[in-house]
Amino acid sequence: MVFFADGGPWTGPVSWRKPFTFGVSFGLTLVAITWVSSYLRIGGRARCVLLAVFAADCVLEVAGITLQAWRGVPSHFNRETPFDSAVATALAVGGVLLVLILTTFATASFKQRPEGPAGMALALRTGFAVLLVGLLSGAAMIAYGVVVTRTVGQEAAYHSSGALKPLHGLSLHAILVLLPVLARALAFTSWPGSTREKVVRAASAAYLLAVVAAGAWALLQP
């Protein structure tokens, strides 16, 4: 609605599509992490603190991107003014915090077997492992963009890491809905636990294969 009222480009570093897609992605991630973390064997107080910081960080990221879209300037790799630099720095610090929190949850899923119905432990461990790939690919995109910004220019940075976007997007969604929801949905069937484990194992293998394919595609791009 804002796009239709305000106009502007639909693609590129300055568009209303960017805060919209980031908002949806962060919102889904927050809901998913809040749900799946309930299966992890961590203290209730520690979980609440981590989720509170994670929620605040999600708001910070989306707010910063939306603010820059409203101002008509890029949100990433933008050091044109002191204010733009402050926003870019805040987004970068928030990104580091996101990585730390999600890595903590991922570590907890492997440290002690998660609770839940048959297949949930495998779904969570696979999802969190793939999520870490998504976080690393996102960090690589930002790091490479910073280098390109300093050596070539800001405009070139926005087109420098497009090859990693499929890998980044695909890796983020394993933990969001697909694998844990599959394990939970199978709990409503009359299938024995061993069969449900096999279905989740097959789905996890297929998802891992897709992630590997996306990574290989990124490496083959010029």
Side-chain angles (χ1 to χ4, degrees), residues 130-215:
V130 175
L131 176 62
L132 293 181
V133 174
L135 296 175
L136 290 174
S137 61
M141 291 167 63
I142 293 175
Y144 186 63
V146 170
V147 173
V148 174
T149 299
R150 294 177 177 177
T151 57
V152 181
Q154 188 181 89
E155 186 63 29
Y158 299 124
H159 308 284
S160 63
S161 55
L164 285 173
K165 287 184 178 180
L167 174 63
H168 179 62
L170 184 66
S171 301
L172 293 179
H173 289 88
I175 195 66
L176 293 190
V177 287
L178 182 61
L179 297 179
V181 167
L182 174 62
R184 190 69 186 89
L186 290 173
F188 293 101
T189 69
S190 58
W191 297 351
S194 58
T195 301
R196 285 181 276 156
E197 284 275 1
K198 291 179 181 178
V199 173
V200 174
R201 190 178 299 117
S204 299
Y207 209 100
L208 289 173
L209 183 61
V211 170
V212 170

Side-chain angles (χ1 to χ4, degrees), residues 4-95:
F4 284 114
D6 188 58
W10 182 244
T11 60
V14 182
S15 68
W16 283 112
R17 181 189 59 84
K18 187 173 183 180
F20 174 79
T21 53
F22 268 79
V24 170
S25 181
F26 272 98
L28 289 175
T29 301
L30 177 58
V31 171
I33 295 300
T34 301
W35 172 52
V36 300
S37 65
S38 65
Y39 294 108
L40 301 179
R41 296 179 185 273
I42 57 177
R45 179 174 296 180
R47 176 174 174 266
C48 288
V49 171
L50 288 171
L51 288 176
V53 177
F54 185 66
D57 202 7
C58 288
V59 172
L60 169 67
E61 293 289 315
V62 177
I65 293 169
T66 305
L67 172 64
Q68 294 299 73
W70 175 72
R71 295 180 64 235
V73 298
S75 56
H76 293 81
F77 315 130
N78 185 1
R79 303 284 178 177
E80 293 295 321
T81 68
F83 184 81
D84 292 329
S85 182
V87 173
T89 300
L91 293 176
V93 172

